[in-house]
Amino acid sequence: MDQTVEPRHFRTLFISDVHLGSKAAKTDFLLDFLKHHEADTIVLVGDIVDGWRLKRSWYWPQDCNDVVQKLLRKARKGARIIYIPGNHDEFMRDFPGIHFGGIEVADRIIHEAADGKRYLVLHGDEFDVVVRNARLLAYLGDWAYDMAIRINVALAAIRRRLGMPYWSFSAWAKLQVKHAVNFIGEFQKVVAEEARRHEVDGVICGHIHHAVIEEIDGVRYINTGDWVESCTAVVEHTDGRLELLSWGQSVNKPIALAASTSVPVLALPGVSDAVTAKGRQAA
């Protein structure tokens, strides 16, 4: 993209599931996205740092520092940044109300959009039965996802050499498990019910890496997706309109997704916070 092009400015930007510290994190995509997008408020909707993987083995390349510094720089320039921890960065839940370099920590918030509509914003892992009640199974699922990502990398390299388009092995593997689609549907219903209980108009969450904006029984359900494969974010325009963007780093331009559609991603019970999106042109 032409370096003289001004960044797009939004009222609010919602990002989740970056998984800094994981080799699967698309930090280069996110840095490019943050370079071309500004917002009055940035809400980090959980799993920004992958504490689970960092506990297993330390992996923190310069790009991870660059993402943190980019966010801190935006805070210094006046953006309000709110960090809602997820299950992978649950250590941050010990600091509700604390500010770190201008970044506020909150368990969940009620976001009032410019059009007056109110949204419950939370990560969503508290509604994942496996994460809550079977932590060992969740860890095993996380390990399995790491293996799938490694296979993805190898296959992508081979397919590029053969001139073939990108194909996601991990997404294909999850397609073979019938429970995956059922899990997504049940998760969405439960989270939408939580929003209804709070008497708000909608809910914005992450966790299952399934980017979508849709209506569920009169409640607007919005999932921000992830920055592992789908590379999606939700933006609020100055009039309160919410839009789902998918960022293609290779072409340096956003792809606006229709509000009623989703990026096709599948989640597995127990692997719900480490699922993949549809295949993208590899960087």
Side-chain angles (χ1 to χ4, degrees), residues 159-275:
R159 291 176 69 89
R160 279 199 303 269
R161 285 179 178 271
L162 296 176
M164 300 171 69
Y166 178 82
W167 177 76
S168 174
F169 166 79
S170 53
W172 173 85
K174 293 177 182 68
L175 275 169
Q176 311 312 307
V177 182
K178 294 180 181 178
H179 294 300
V181 174
N182 291 337
F183 173 79
I184 290 177
E186 289 304 312
F187 176 86
Q188 292 178 168
K189 288 179 182 177
V190 172
V191 174
E193 182 58 37
E194 179 72 2
R196 188 176 293 107
R197 192 174 68 82
H198 281 76
E199 299 181 341
V200 294
D201 300 287
V203 60
I204 301 173
C205 64
H207 186 54
I208 64 171
H209 299 210
H210 184 71
V212 66
I213 297 179
E214 65 182 20
E215 297 291 325
I216 299 179
D217 298 328
V219 172
R220 199 171 197 199
Y221 171 87
I222 301 168
N223 195 296
T224 56
D226 71 283
W227 288 85
V228 174
E229 280 199 90
S230 66
C231 297
T232 51
V234 170
V235 296
E236 180 198 354
H237 294 267
T238 54
D239 59 359
R241 178 170 54 92
L242 295 175
E243 183 181 18
L244 186 60
L245 297 183
S246 178
W247 185 251
Q249 189 217 37
S250 60
V251 293
N252 281 342
K253 64 180 180 181
I255 303 168
L257 303 176
S260 60
T261 63
S262 67
V263 177
V265 188
L266 286 180
L268 293 176
V271 200
S272 58
D273 49 343
V275 296

Side-chain angles (χ1 to χ4, degrees), residues 1-10 33-38 77 247 252 254:
M1 178 178 283
D2 187 344
Q3 298 298 313
T4 62
V5 175
E6 289 294 321
R8 298 178 71 192
H9 192 96
F10 298 97
F33 179 82
L34 292 173
K35 175 183 178 181
H36 293 98
H37 297 81
E38 301 287 352
K77 289 183 177 180
W247 185 251
N252 281 342

Side-chain angles (χ1 to χ4, degrees), residues 4-20:
T4 62
V5 175
E6 289 294 321
R8 298 178 71 192
H9 192 96
F10 298 97
R11 185 172 186 265
T12 315
L13 174 62
F14 300 89
I15 295 173
S16 77
D17 298 275
V18 178
H19 290 274
L20 294 176

Side-chain angles (χ1 to χ4, degrees), residues 53-256:
R53 290 187 179 87
L54 289 174
K55 283 182 181 179
R56 292 204 303 267
S57 62
W58 186 261
Y59 177 77
W60 195 265
Q62 183 58 44
D63 273 1
C64 292
N65 282 333
D66 292 342
V67 169
V68 174
Q69 289 302 319
K70 174 70 78 172
L71 291 169
L72 291 173
R73 193 174 302 117
K74 288 181 181 294
R76 288 197 297 270
K77 289 183 177 180
R80 182 188 182 192
I81 301 183
I82 304 170
Y83 194 135
I84 299 174
N87 50 306
H88 279 254
D89 47 16
E90 59 191 352
F91 57 89
M92 293 292 289
R93 287 176 170 156
D94 294 332
F95 307 99
I98 302 298
H99 289 235
F100 293 96
I103 298 178
E104 312 168 33
V105 180
D107 182 58
R108 54 173 65 182
I109 63 170
I110 300 292
H111 173 74
E112 184 169 345
D115 58 5
K117 291 183 178 179
R118 299 167 68 243
Y119 296 88
L120 174 66
V121 187
L122 73 173
H123 182 63
D125 61 290
E126 56 265 57
F127 302 103
D128 185 335
V129 175
V130 173
V131 171
R132 290 185 62 186
N133 301 323
R135 181 57 65 90
L136 177 59
L137 182 58
Y139 275 120
L140 288 174
D142 200 51
W143 173 84
Y145 175 70
D146 278 346
M147 296 303 296
I149 285 294
R150 292 179 185 180
I151 295 173
N152 263 356
V153 172
L155 284 178
I158 294 172
R159 291 176 69 89
R160 279 199 303 269
R161 285 179 178 271
L162 296 176
M164 300 171 69
Y166 178 82
W167 177 76
S168 174
F169 166 79
S170 53
W172 173 85
K174 293 177 182 68
L175 275 169
Q176 311 312 307
V177 182
K178 294 180 181 178
H179 294 300
V181 174
N182 291 337
F183 173 79
I184 290 177
E186 289 304 312
F187 176 86
Q188 292 178 168
K189 288 179 182 177
V190 172
V191 174
E193 182 58 37
E194 179 72 2
R196 188 176 293 107
R197 192 174 68 82
H198 281 76
E199 299 181 341
V200 294
D201 300 287
V203 60
I204 301 173
C205 64
H207 186 54
I208 64 171
H209 299 210
H210 184 71
V212 66
I213 297 179
E214 65 182 20
E215 297 291 325
I216 299 179
D217 298 328
V219 172
R220 199 171 197 199
Y221 171 87
I222 301 168
N223 195 296
T224 56
D226 71 283
W227 288 85
V228 174
E229 280 199 90
S230 66
C231 297
T232 51
V234 170
V235 296
E236 180 198 354
H237 294 267
T238 54
D239 59 359
R241 178 170 54 92
L242 295 175
E243 183 181 18
L244 186 60
L245 297 183
S246 178
W247 185 251
Q249 189 217 37
S250 60
V251 293
N252 281 342
K253 64 180 180 181
I255 303 168

